[in-house]
């Protein structure tokens, strides 16, 4: 099961190969943001089959703004 703040890798669609953060997790779908193309105001709804979990989970304060999400994902991707 996915949890809020977890970093995932998109495996399909336009975002394929991009790291994103889970904002909300449901049974079959997750809402994702990357702070760039997909902001907190317009997250991407994606099927859980099309994303791969990572072991990294961001703290709640890192999810406060798009800028903080971008910084956390950049640090993770490097």
């Amino acid at each position: 099961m996915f949890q809020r703040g977890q970093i995932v890798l998109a495996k399909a669609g336009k975002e394929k190969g991009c790291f994103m953060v889970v904002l909300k997790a449901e049974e079959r779908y997750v809402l994702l943001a990357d702070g760039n193309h997909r902001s907190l105001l317009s997250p991407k709804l994606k099927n859980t089959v099309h994303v791969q979990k990572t072991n990294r989970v961001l703290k709640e304060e890192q999810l406060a703004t798009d800028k903080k999400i971008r910084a956390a994902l950049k640090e993770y991707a490097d």
Side-chain angles (χ1 to χ4, degrees):
M1 189 69 175
F2 293 89
Q3 62 182 354
R4 180 172 167 81
Q6 186 169 26
I7 296 178
V8 296
L9 179 65
K11 297 191 305 185
K14 290 189 283 185
E15 299 87 8
K16 183 177 181 178
C18 296
F19 288 103
M20 302 182 91
V21 177
V22 175
L23 298 178
K24 183 178 179 183
E26 297 177 3
E27 189 175 323
R28 294 193 54 188
Y29 296 96
V30 288
L31 279 174
L32 304 172
D34 64 3
N36 209 7
H37 296 56
R38 287 296 179 168
S39 68
L40 290 170
L41 297 177
S42 63
K44 173 71 176 175
L45 181 68
K46 207 156 185 63
N47 191 315
T48 56
V49 174
H50 298 148
V51 294
Q52 179 181 341
K53 291 183 188 180
T54 66
N55 294 328
R56 178 82 189 269
V57 179
L58 299 180
K59 296 176 183 171
E60 196 63 36
E61 57 264 12
Q62 291 177 295
L63 301 175
T65 64
D66 288 323
K67 185 176 181 178
K68 289 181 179 182
I69 290 174
R70 280 194 307 269
L73 290 176
K74 183 178 180 189
E75 178 182 307
Y76 184 79
D78 289 343

